[in-house]
Amino acid sequence: DTGVSQNPRHKITKRGQNVTFRCDPISEHNRLYWYRQTLGQGPEFLTYFQNEAQLEKSRLLSDRFSAERPKGSFSTLEIQRTEQGDSAMYLCASSFFAGGTYNEQFFGPGTRLTVL
Amino acid sequence: DAKTTQPNSMESNEEEPVHLPCNHSTISGTDYIHWYRQLPSQGPEYVIHGLTSNVNNRMASLAIAEDRKSSTLILHRATLRDAAVYYCILRDGPNFNKFYFGSGTKLNVKP
């Protein structure tokens, strides 16, 4: 399967713990996006990378959240000192960006985080 | 970012056409109209996109109003597999950076 993969698929943690999620994009894609989705709502943009550079961060991404894409391939999203409000589905997407052409985003299956 | 308005839910019978409406009265000239759908327990998937002209692909058709303030996603023959939440999204043309999803329309397909 050459789609976007995310690990783990489910994570249950206690409030105050740190968690890290991984996203492996489609191999030739240079852009990688993170979204968060709570129950009954559409995904909310968090941040995106072009290659290894983090180009934009939403104000939703508090200082407890950090994302990296060190070699321009896979990405990690870390949440420090988790809170119950962090419980959500975390979605990763990737796309190939080339100038002004259209680039469809391909989404992974998501990581569901539950903070107890 | 321009906002879209969609009905919360719609229902269709299997093998009948479905018309999913979207209003985007504040659309700008460079905004593309995108449709994604999210099947249960999956990430969103691309359905179709357009700028001004109507578009067709293997999954659906997109009809765009002449003033571009509304659009309609058309599924020509709904199947049970089409039951999903459908999102209408606007994205600024030159930037292609990110999507702002609304709450979408939950489509139920009855056998």
Side-chain angles (χ1 to χ4, degrees), chain A residues 66-80:
Chain A
S66 63
E68 294 183 342
R69 195 183 183 200
K71 297 182 180 179
S73 57
F74 73 92
S75 175
T76 57
L77 178 68
E78 180 183 17
I79 308 174
Q80 295 182 328

Side-chain angles (χ1 to χ4, degrees), chain A residues 54-101:
Chain A
Q54 188 173 19
L55 296 188
E56 189 168 348
K57 293 194 293 186
S58 163
R59 62 181 181 275
L60 294 173
L61 211 66
S62 76
D63 55 6
R64 296 185 298 106
F65 288 71
S66 63
E68 294 183 342
R69 195 183 183 200
K71 297 182 180 179
S73 57
F74 73 92
S75 175
T76 57
L77 178 68
E78 180 183 17
I79 308 174
Q80 295 182 328
R81 305 181 303 280
T82 53
E83 302 172 356
Q84 288 184 327
D86 297 331
S87 296
M89 177 75 82
Y90 290 84
L91 292 162
C92 175
S94 70
S95 69
F96 179 73
F97 177 76
T101 60

